[in-house]
Amino acid sequence: PVPGMVVDRPGLSDRGVAAPVTGVVVGIARVPGDAVRPGGVLFTLKVLSEALHLTQTDLFKSTQDIALAQAQRKRLVASAGAVAEARVIEVDNQVTRLEVAVNAYRQELLSRGFSPDQIDAVAGGKFVREVTVAAPPRPPGVSLSVPGSGGPPEPPAAFEVQELKVDLGQQVQAGQTLCTLANHQLLAVEGRAFRDETPLLERSVREKWPVEVDFQEEATADWGEVKQTFRIRQMSNAIDPLNRTFAFLMPLANESRVVDDEGRSLTLWRFRPGQRARLLVRVEKLDGVFVLPADAVARDGPEAFVFTQNVNTFERRPVRVLLQDRQQVVLANDGSLPLGTYVVQGGAAQLNRMVKAGGASGTPKGYHIHADGSLHKNEDEGK
């Protein structure tokens, strides 16, 4: 058993959104907790950058100069013979230089968050005074369906606004972080182990053994069984100097539900960063043994017993325990339990106390205990 925790997957789960230009925040379209699609509007900025205004002016002027130069070329070609050919070549070179400048201005505006339609409008003389900041594209590797649900339609949103970094009316600089977006569809389960447990974990990695993860969920959550298989994919090569442990990670594909709250979409995730978990890492393989629930074995000092059932009779059988944890117990196949024997799966400790008490008290209704210590069903109850 190893303690674990659900964590963000580095490079995939969280990301910041930066201001493309220097400006003033005049609109906030999403607040923390809101879901947003890729390309959805997050902020509106009033442009204050002089360089950006100058770029728009230069783009408009260069576009108009190209139109004038092309008109001049048409007149020169129409008056063939009246002017030298060198004059036409000079005009062509001027158009080429202007087209290069226009392309550079367009690329600069694209990098600042302008859309192609907005750039075309600037070239036509309609300058942009405000720009919108949109959510980035979907993270690579994110599935279009909810894991373990048989492939339903794509979730309505890929991101959730996690934290706002600015307020309305605040002036921001180009490159300043405006908000933090979270995508909880691709997470990880982080386990922490001590240095002396390294060989056990390394063997689990080499043998590609699955790791059992208990998220300690309530039965009323109604999420269903976790269908994915967990394996250690990454082991840290550094030990934390504070707690003397090292981390190992296992990818976790999250599940979600979308709730419509008066037109506002809320995404409810099954697993959340910071959620505690309990990991059971396989470190050894035992062949030719019996595996029973932990509650099937009773302890009496150094001895261990199970109860076998023969029709309506329960008998106590001594066994040798090889390994035991909170959920399972491993018994040696040494002949004490022949194959095909029916074994009581739970309540062994209670049965053992009843046997030791000789049936004086604690005998369940419908049962009785013989002098040899065996527990029997009453005939009427058996019918």
Side-chain angles (χ1 to χ4, degrees), residues 1 4 15 41 48 65 69 82 92 108 123 127 196 205 254 268 283 289 295 297 322 356 361 366:
R15 63 181 302 168
V41 177
L48 294 182
D65 289 342
D92 288 340
E108 181 177 354
F127 290 1
D196 55 358
V205 174
N254 208 346
L268 306 180
V283 297
V289 295
D295 203 22
V297 175
L322 300 178
K356 294 177 63 177
S361 61

Side-chain angles (χ1 to χ4, degrees), residues 33-309:
D34 286 351
V36 58
R37 288 175 175 269
V41 177
L42 295 171
F43 300 92
T44 302
L45 302 180
K46 182 179 180 181
V47 179
L48 294 182
S49 173
E50 294 184 4
L52 197 57
H53 287 301
L54 181 61
T55 300
Q56 296 186 73
T57 303
D58 291 340
L59 174 60
F60 174 67
K61 290 175 58 178
S62 297
T63 302
Q64 296 301 312
D65 289 342
I66 289 176
L68 294 175
Q70 290 176 340
Q72 182 182 6
R73 186 183 186 282
K74 288 181 179 180
R75 291 194 299 269
L76 293 175
V77 172
S79 59
V83 295
E85 183 178 355
R87 180 58 179 161
V88 176
I89 295 176
E90 181 181 349
V91 173
D92 288 340
N93 291 337
Q94 181 183 1
V95 170
T96 302
R97 289 193 298 270
L98 290 173
E99 289 178 343
V100 171
V102 166
N103 186 53
Y105 296 144
R106 284 179 171 271
Q107 293 300 321
E108 181 177 354
L109 293 178
L110 279 174
S111 65
R112 296 301 186 117
F114 282 48
S115 66
D117 292 339
Q118 287 177 319
I119 296 176
D120 292 339
V122 171
K126 187 178 180 180
F127 290 1
V128 175
R129 309 298 180 185
E130 294 181 349
V131 297
T132 58
V133 182
R138 184 180 300 276
V142 175
S143 172
L144 297 183
S145 61
V146 179
S149 57
E154 176 185 352
F159 298 102
E160 178 182 318
V161 179
Q162 184 166 308
E163 182 182 4
L164 284 179
K165 301 288 188 179
V166 294
D167 299 319
L168 280 175
Q170 179 178 342
Q171 181 176 345
V172 295
Q173 302 297 320
Q176 181 177 340
T177 301
L178 301 176
C179 70
T180 302
L181 298 180
N183 179 276
H184 294 316
Q185 193 166 352
L186 293 179
L187 300 175
V189 179
E190 179 188 76
R192 304 204 69 91
F194 291 101
R195 176 66 182 87
D196 55 358
E197 297 171 333
T198 304
L200 303 178
L201 291 173
E202 290 178 347
R203 182 180 180 187
S204 180
V205 174
R206 289 195 306 269
E207 300 291 343
K208 299 180 179 179
W209 285 336
V211 176
E212 297 182 22
V213 181
D214 179 12
F215 292 101
Q216 302 176 354
E217 294 179 308
E218 296 291 338
T220 56
D222 193 28
W223 280 102
E225 181 183 357
V226 179
K227 298 182 179 180
Q228 57 187 304
T229 302
F230 297 95
R231 279 177 43 201
I232 300 176
R233 301 291 185 176
Q234 179 183 347
M235 290 182 60
S236 175
N237 293 318
I239 296 179
D240 192 321
L242 297 179
N243 52 33
R244 310 306 300 169
T245 62
F246 67 93
F248 59 91
L249 294 178
M250 298 174 292
L252 170 63
N254 208 346
E255 302 176 32
S256 64
R257 293 171 178 166
V258 179
V259 178
D260 186 11
D261 181 16
E262 299 180 355
R264 178 190 178 199
S265 296
L266 299 179
T267 303
L268 306 180
W269 294 100
R270 178 173 185 175
F271 306 113
R272 295 173 172 84
Q275 178 179 342
R276 295 287 181 179
R278 184 171 176 271
L279 314 182
L280 296 176
V281 183
R282 303 186 184 188
V283 297
E284 185 179 1
K285 183 179 180 181
L286 300 177
D287 295 319
V289 295
F290 296 125
V291 181
L292 295 175
D295 203 22
V297 175
R299 297 279 186 171
D300 191 355
E303 298 181 339
F305 303 93
V306 298
F307 286 85
T308 61
Q309 184 178 9

Side-chain angles (χ1 to χ4, degrees), residues 309-321:
Q309 184 178 9
N310 183 10
V311 188
N312 63 347
T313 301
F314 293 90
E315 299 177 352
R316 195 169 70 165
R317 295 284 189 90
V319 293
R320 183 162 62 92
V321 177

